[in-house]
Amino acid sequence: MRRFVLGLPLAWLLLFLVAPLVIVLAISLVPAVDGQPPFASPLDPRNWTADSYRVLVGDDLYAAAFFNAARIAATATLICLVIGYPMAYAIARAGEQTRLLLLMLVILPFWTSFLVRVYAWMVLLRPTGLINEALIGLGLISEPLPLIANEFAVHLGIVYSYLPFMVLPLYAALERLDSGLVEAAYDLGARPFRAFLSVTLPLSRPGIIAGSLLVFIPACGEFVIPDLLGGPDSPMIGKVLWTEFFSNRDWPAASAVAIALLAVLVAPMVAFQTLERRGAP
Amino acid sequence: MSGGSTLIRIDGVSRFFGATAAVADVSLEIGAGEFFALLGPSGCGKTTLLRMIAGLEAPDAGSIAIDGAEMTAVPPWERPVNTVFQSYALFPHLSVASNIAFGLKQEGLPRTEIEARVAEMLTLVELEGLGGRKPHQLSGGQRQRVALARALAKRPKALLLDEPLAALDRRLRDQVRSELAAIQRRLGIAFIFVTHDQEEAMSLADRLAIMRDGVLMQVGTPREVYERPSSRYIADFLGRANVIAGRAGGRDGAFLRIDTDIPGVTLRARDERSIGDGTPLWLAVRPENLSLDASEQANRLPGVVRESAYAGDVSRYEIEIGGTLTLRAVLPNRHGESAPRPARGAPVQVSWPAEAGVVLTE
């Protein structure tokens, strides 16, 4: 029984995590060919090459796309934190009934498709969209504002889509926090802002880290939002990956990008683990 | 007041939660250097009163002054008092030393001064060498000492303690109790502590205030409130006195005669007040003041022993008088005592001197 209980998740991980990863890694190590499938057989050791990785390192496009993705994801994560912290704090401090209602409102967007919600932003933001039409109609502007096909729209889309992933772990951390500790800080002479900085903020750190990772990691690999809301000026790595696969049919290059992205994203996870171990109370 | 000049003056303070008054029109003065207890059952408002002194709760009416300064509009971080919380409320992410230094850092003291004060506090609570530990690495008793050191580090004019011994086990409690008393004597500042344990309050406090349903029932030294309770509630709450209902029945000089419902039984108690004949009242007599023989003349009742229990230092008896009244008696046991003790079912004469009874009108 015990073996079965342990074996089931292990089999699951092997089948759906390790196996695809090994396949992707294998594809990244062979050259692309014309045909079906569009890559040389990874089972033949004579086909093995690191060419895809050489291209990855050699072509500035990839490095720039990685950097763009990391920069945009980091900025969006920071904005999520700044908006999400007061939200989570207010929810954690609200009365029982209000708290449930506010939590429902945070989760509510998940009830519709993510894709549909991003399309909805297109309708709102485009030059003939609701916002521009309304502003022109009111006579506030004469030309449509450039609200879409740029980094602003990508940031907006990411912050909008991932904010709940920031709010929920922050809420969990703040809700657990003993309000008696804040009172103790007041009692010892700390003004409210000092008490927040030296007690509430450090004790909500696990929530800050968890929320930031939950936003940063998927935002880094995000494809739909830059594709629908972004412009051509600053491609994100997720979109480059998609282009390699479907437009260029260069599966080995796409696989190499995927492996590199995974390696880059494992780094913050490891940092998180280390921080948690050091900060464990 | 035993502690010299007044440190804390509470004047007509009330605090409502919804429609119920957690604290109702309480006025109280606490002296500098006094060890003062707020005693009462849970929900009597004692903790709310303590929190209002700390500034963590605002009174809906009345005022609180500390050392002559009106405190009603002063936030907790500016009050010259510090609190030891019931759950200790130690900062889990800070070391013991940083916890103790927390309040000193808010004052902006120089680092060397803070370090010296932290070391001094660690010595005071006998936790030298543990400054680097985190709270979760300490035992319950050690955490309590850290909470004490943290609150005392700022040298407050008064230390407020919310049920300081409640979270400790029995043996540790006795030890911490005597340590608290020693620290208070040494520092000479006022300690105000909240407790539901009357023994704790009686043994530690110079004076105590007994609260019930938000109302201050009586204030005095442990001896005053024990020997001269002002109401049936206090007489019963502290040491479970025997309370006998009756009516005023005239005077015998300094003594008041009390007619009881038991046929033919009239009791006598020393009471100087003029109480009109027929006024309903109660006589409170402590179990340890009863004799199980006819040695006292003033009050003598025939009864039957219903229960007797040998408890080592004392024996406890329940004596039934005339079918309606049961009196509790406690007699000390001395080794080699020759007189046999009455057994269950034996007829006895219960008696006590007129001075031992307290006449209560409420």
Side-chain angles (χ1 to χ4, degrees):
Chain A
M1 185 63 200
R2 189 190 148 101
R3 186 168 293 181
F4 177 75
V5 166
L6 287 177
L8 200 65
L10 195 67
W12 181 275
L13 281 177
L14 280 174
L15 195 62
F16 294 110
L17 185 74
V18 177
L21 206 60
V22 168
I23 294 170
V24 170
L25 183 67
I27 296 174
S28 76
L29 291 172
V30 293
V33 293
D34 281 332
Q36 196 65 265
F39 51 87
S41 168
L43 297 176
D44 186 348
R46 281 171 301 173
N47 287 335
W48 291 357
T49 169
D51 278 354
S52 294
Y53 290 95
R54 268 184 216 111
V55 172
L56 204 64
V57 176
D59 192 336
D60 286 347
L61 166 79
Y62 297 104
F66 265 115
F67 180 74
N68 273 334
R71 177 175 53 80
I72 291 170
T75 316
T77 304
L78 203 67
I79 297 170
C80 277
L81 184 62
V82 170
I83 299 173
Y85 203 101
M87 280 175 71
Y89 190 88
I91 297 172
R93 291 283 166 278
E96 190 102 20
Q97 290 298 318
T98 326
R99 193 161 57 197
L100 284 174
L101 179 74
L102 293 173
L103 279 175
M104 276 300 294
L105 288 176
V106 169
I107 299 165
L108 200 64
F110 291 130
W111 289 16
T112 53
S113 154
F114 165 68
L115 207 58
V116 169
R117 282 183 283 128
V118 179
Y119 269 111
W121 273 110
M122 285 179 75
V123 175
L124 286 173
L125 296 176
R126 67 188 175 198
T128 56
L130 210 59
I131 295 172
N132 273 319
E133 297 275 286
L135 290 174
I136 291 170
L138 287 169
L140 292 171
I141 50 170
S142 51
E143 291 289 303
L145 292 172
L147 296 177
I148 201 163
N150 52 29
E151 270 194 25
F152 163 76
V154 176
H155 280 107
L156 182 74
I158 293 177
V159 169
Y160 162 76
S161 303
Y162 290 101
L163 190 59
F165 296 102
M166 180 64 86
V167 172
L168 293 177
L170 279 176
Y171 162 75
L174 288 168
E175 200 263 341
R176 251 198 335 256
L177 197 135
D178 176 7
S179 63
L181 295 176
V182 177
E183 286 192 339
Y186 292 166
D187 188 72
L188 291 164
R191 288 162 180 283
F193 189 62
R194 281 294 301 272
F196 173 78
L197 285 184
S198 46
V199 176
T200 310
L201 197 59
L203 287 174
S204 60
R205 197 180 60 175
I208 295 173
I209 295 172
S212 298
L213 285 179
L214 281 176
V215 174
F216 179 79
I217 290 175
C220 253
E222 184 55 53
F223 155 71
V224 171
I225 293 169
D227 191 49
L228 295 184
L229 301 178
D233 48 336
S234 50
M236 287 174 74
I237 196 67
K239 204 183 165 193
V240 170
L241 185 82
W242 190 90
T243 311
E244 291 291 0
F245 249 114
F246 295 101
S247 303
N248 302 347
R249 276 183 68 77
D250 190 344
W251 286 28
S255 299
V257 171
I259 293 291
L261 183 60
L262 186 70
V264 169
L265 291 185
V266 162
M269 289 292 281
V270 173
F272 170 66
Q273 296 266 328
T274 319
L275 274 172
E276 272 303 88
R277 253 199 306 278
R278 199 175 347 131
Chain B
M1 187 162 311
S2 65
S5 61
T6 300
L7 178 70
I8 295 176
R9 177 174 279 117
I10 297 164
D11 193 11
V13 161
S14 295
R15 174 78 172 115
F16 295 91
F17 291 125
T20 52
V23 173
D25 195 21
V26 167
S27 294
L28 189 61
E29 287 188 9
I30 298 168
E34 201 172 18
F35 207 140
F36 195 90
L38 290 170
L39 174 65
S42 63
C44 73
K46 56 194 192 299
T47 295
T48 305
L49 186 60
L50 192 80
R51 287 170 58 82
M52 286 194 283
I53 299 172
L56 298 169
E57 203 92 57
D60 292 316
S63 69
I64 295 172
I66 300 176
D67 213 12
E70 173 58 41
M71 283 288 137
T72 313
V74 177
W77 49 88
E78 282 170 13
R79 297 197 182 193
V81 295
N82 289 115
T83 308
V84 175
F85 293 88
Q86 183 174 3
S87 61
Y88 311 144
L90 298 179
F91 304 123
H93 59 302
L94 298 179
S95 68
V96 166
S98 301
N99 262 283
I100 297 172
F102 189 94
L104 303 171
K105 280 193 185 144
Q106 310 304 321
E107 284 178 24
L109 290 181
R111 240 185 76 178
T112 48
E113 167 83 26
I114 291 178
E115 279 167 11
R117 201 86 80 82
V118 169
E120 179 195 332
M121 284 302 132
L122 284 171
T123 310
L124 180 75
V125 298
E126 294 171 20
L127 286 178
E128 298 101 326
L130 296 186
R133 296 261 182 100
K134 287 280 183 72
H136 71 98
Q137 295 169 310
L138 301 178
S139 70
Q142 288 172 327
R143 274 180 230 176
Q144 212 253 7
R145 288 155 189 256
V146 177
L148 187 64
R150 184 179 70 174
L152 285 172
K154 293 195 74 172
R155 297 187 178 150
K157 287 175 180 163
L159 184 73
L160 312 177
L161 305 104
D162 189 3
E163 297 274 6
L165 308 177
L168 305 174
D169 63 47
R170 173 122 214 116
R171 272 181 58 190
L172 202 54
R173 207 179 302 168
D174 292 340
Q175 186 196 336
V176 173
R177 187 194 297 192
S178 54
E179 282 172 5
L180 271 182
I183 289 173
Q184 196 269 341
R185 274 195 300 273
R186 196 155 130 209
L187 299 177
I189 64 169
F191 276 31
I192 301 159
F193 77 109
V194 154
T195 181
H196 66 275
D197 183 329
Q198 49 128 326
E199 194 194 327
E200 196 176 298
M202 302 266 280
S203 62
L204 271 175
D206 297 323
R207 285 195 314 146
L208 49 100
I210 298 161
M211 291 182 70
R212 177 200 191 189
D213 297 337
V215 176
L216 191 62
M217 300 291 288
Q218 192 174 2
V219 186
T221 65
R223 187 170 205 126
E224 280 164 6
V225 293
Y226 187 78
E227 293 184 2
R228 295 283 134 194
S230 63
S231 63
R232 279 177 290 159
Y233 177 78
I234 306 273
D236 183 62
F237 184 72
L238 291 178
R240 304 211 56 204
N242 294 300
V243 177
I244 306 161
R247 284 167 307 284
R251 303 203 138 270
D252 283 343
F255 300 112
L256 187 69
R257 272 204 312 274
I258 299 155
D259 299 324
T260 67
D261 295 338
I262 306 156
V265 172
T266 297
L267 304 173
R268 281 168 195 82
R270 183 182 283 279
D271 197 284
E272 306 292 339
R273 292 173 292 182
S274 58
I275 298 171
D277 285 5
T279 308
L281 44 74
W282 295 267
L283 183 66
V285 195
R286 296 281 172 199
E288 63 270 25
N289 288 328
L290 298 189
S291 302
L292 292 191
D293 50 40
S295 58
E296 298 295 338
Q297 304 291 323
N299 300 287
R300 205 182 285 175
L301 298 173
V304 177
V305 177
R306 283 287 168 236
E307 293 292 339
S308 78
Y310 179 82
D313 54 345
V314 295
S315 289
R316 299 174 204 283
Y317 299 90
E318 284 184 17
I319 319 288
E320 193 181 304
I321 315 280
T324 52
L325 179 67
T326 302
L327 296 179
R328 284 180 300 276
V330 174
L331 270 66
N333 289 321
R334 295 195 186 85
H335 295 284
E337 209 164 55
S338 53
R341 284 293 171 79
R344 207 168 298 163
V348 287
Q349 288 277 331
V350 181
S351 68
W352 66 89
E355 289 77 10
V358 180
V359 176
L360 305 171
T361 52
E362 56 180 310

